[in-house]
Amino acid sequence: MGALEQQQRCRRLLLIGCIALLACAPRGVSGAAAEAGSTPEGRVGDSLKAWIEASRGVELEGVYLGDAPSGRNLGVFAAKGGLEAGEAYIAVPWGLVLGAHSIAAHRPALAALMTQLKVEYGADDKSVLLLLLMHEHFVSPRDSPWRDYLNALPDPDGFDTPLHWDTSLLRELAGSAVLDEAIAEQTRVRAVFKGFSKRVFSLHKDLFPPAKATLEALTWAWSIVHSRASTVPGKGLVLVPLADMVNDGGEEQGQAQAGGAAAAAAPGAAGAGAGAEGSGTKTERREFVVYDMHYDRAVVYAKRSYVPGEEVTESYGAWSMADTVVSAGYLPSPGAPGGGGGGGG
């Protein structure tokens, strides 16, 4: 076993041990707040900075990206001067949000295929998002408008969720509530890959070459969607760059989100929500991102005020321990009602 494989196995075994003994590091305040819009040093931070600078209209207002004290890689923090309740702190032009709507402008041939699949099979938002991620990250990464953003996300071998575990590691989950869900998740991904292979990959090799349309690529896309996608009210299931860096705040944040400066009441926010058709995923609970119809963009509004350096969080809904371990690869905070969703860098 190589050094990398040994390191990954140790991390996974540590997660397994923590399932039995749940420990939580309190959500913290960093020692010194950074300037708004800044990103951490290193490859991930550099990639995000490059994407933000190259993408016109993307805004980080009153916040910066930094290392999360929760151990979930990156997080969003209030910058110098703090963040006020109701302030829009992340804004991404709708054309740069990954989803069915953004394909036509960048990939006409892929958009035509998606339209065909919807007519023939009723393809849902989740299927479209999975195929789009596979195409942009593995097939045509060089000219993708999301290249730098996607490069900042975990590599295919960078996930520690049970979906990526082998049989020997899964056996370590025996006796926990996670085992059945982990096995079911692996089965679902293999079934989706079989369906895509028959209906898409074997018939459209120009868009999905066999060397790129692999089970590994689909597993990566599946992990990204389950841990980072959001349901935007009135729009459906999408992946909003930067908003996926916001970590879950659990029960306390959920109360603030319900009773404070609610996103749905923010200026320009689109109305009643529509879930992702047939998504069958926990991502339907992530509805803190809204659509600003006046400026045609996805926006996240602060649900309460934050002091400089404090981590800005949102409520992902009531995820169980199995949900968070299987979909996001970490354990929920004890203060959360059953847990909270993933995110982070």
Side-chain angles (χ1 to χ4, degrees):
M1 180 181 295
L4 178 60
E5 289 81 0
Q6 183 66 38
Q7 185 181 31
Q8 290 175 332
R9 185 176 181 85
C10 288
R11 289 203 307 266
R12 291 165 180 172
L13 288 174
L14 178 60
L15 176 59
I16 291 169
C18 289
I19 292 175
L21 182 62
L22 181 60
C24 175
R27 191 166 300 280
V29 177
S30 62
E35 297 291 340
S38 62
T39 60
E41 296 181 355
R43 180 188 65 82
V44 172
D46 291 345
S47 293
L48 290 171
K49 181 180 179 180
W51 186 78
I52 293 170
E53 292 178 347
S55 304
R56 185 176 180 180
V58 173
E59 299 177 1
L60 282 177
E61 295 291 341
V63 297
Y64 64 93
L65 302 177
D67 296 323
S70 59
R72 279 175 264 170
N73 299 318
L74 293 187
V76 177
F77 297 83
K80 294 178 179 179
L83 181 66
E84 297 297 323
E87 185 176 351
Y89 64 92
I90 293 176
V92 178
W94 193 245
L96 289 174
V97 172
L98 287 95
H101 67 281
S102 59
I103 300 177
H106 304 292
R107 309 289 186 195
L110 186 60
L113 172 59
M114 297 302 181
T115 300
Q116 176 186 339
L117 291 174
K118 190 163 188 177
V119 171
E120 294 181 1
Y121 304 106
D124 55 88
D125 290 344
K126 181 179 175 182
S127 296
V128 169
L129 194 51
L130 288 171
L131 292 170
L132 175 59
L133 283 168
M134 291 180 67
H135 188 275
E136 295 305 294
H137 194 51
F138 297 101
V139 179
S140 299
R142 292 186 178 181
D143 64 341
S144 173
W146 300 284
R147 180 187 62 185
D148 291 317
Y149 162 69
L150 294 176
N151 285 340
L153 301 183
D155 296 324
D157 60 354
F159 283 95
D160 285 327
T161 58
L163 177 60
H164 299 259
W165 294 5
D166 58 26
T167 304
S168 63
L169 273 174
L170 284 176
R171 290 197 190 102
E172 301 292 339
L173 293 174
S176 75
V178 179
L179 179 59
D180 289 344
E181 179 57 29
I183 294 174
E185 188 84 341
Q186 291 189 353
T187 302
R188 281 191 290 268
V189 173
R190 287 193 294 269
V192 170
F193 180 73
K194 183 177 180 180
F196 280 173
S197 296
K198 179 180 179 180
R199 299 173 179 178
V200 181
F201 304 151
S202 64
L203 302 177
H204 303 277
K205 295 180 181 180
D206 54 329
L207 292 173
F208 292 95
K212 305 295 183 179
T214 64
L215 177 60
E216 181 185 47
L218 175 62
T219 302
W220 174 85
W222 183 282
S223 297
I224 294 297
V225 170
H226 275 242
S227 61
R228 295 173 179 273
S230 300
T231 297
V232 176
K235 293 294 184 177
L237 187 69
V238 294
L239 179 58
V240 183
L242 304 185
D244 62 323
M245 303 294 166
V246 183
N247 286 314
D248 177 51
E251 183 176 16
E252 179 181 354
Q253 182 59 40
Q255 293 171 350
Q257 194 158 317
E277 178 186 355
S279 68
T281 171
K282 315 299 185 301
T283 52
E284 292 179 2
R285 299 175 186 168
R286 300 183 53 175
E287 296 184 346
F288 59 85
V289 184
V290 295
Y291 174 66
D292 183 340
M293 64 182 69
H294 298 307
Y295 294 98
D296 189 31
R297 62 182 186 173
V299 184
V300 185
Y301 295 93
K303 311 308 180 295
R304 64 174 179 85
S305 297
Y306 292 86
V307 300
E310 183 180 4
E311 185 174 10
V312 180
T313 61
E314 298 288 344
S315 174
Y316 285 9
W319 284 35
S320 69
M321 180 184 291
D323 291 341
T324 54
V325 172
V326 171
S327 294
Y330 74 94
L331 288 167
S333 302

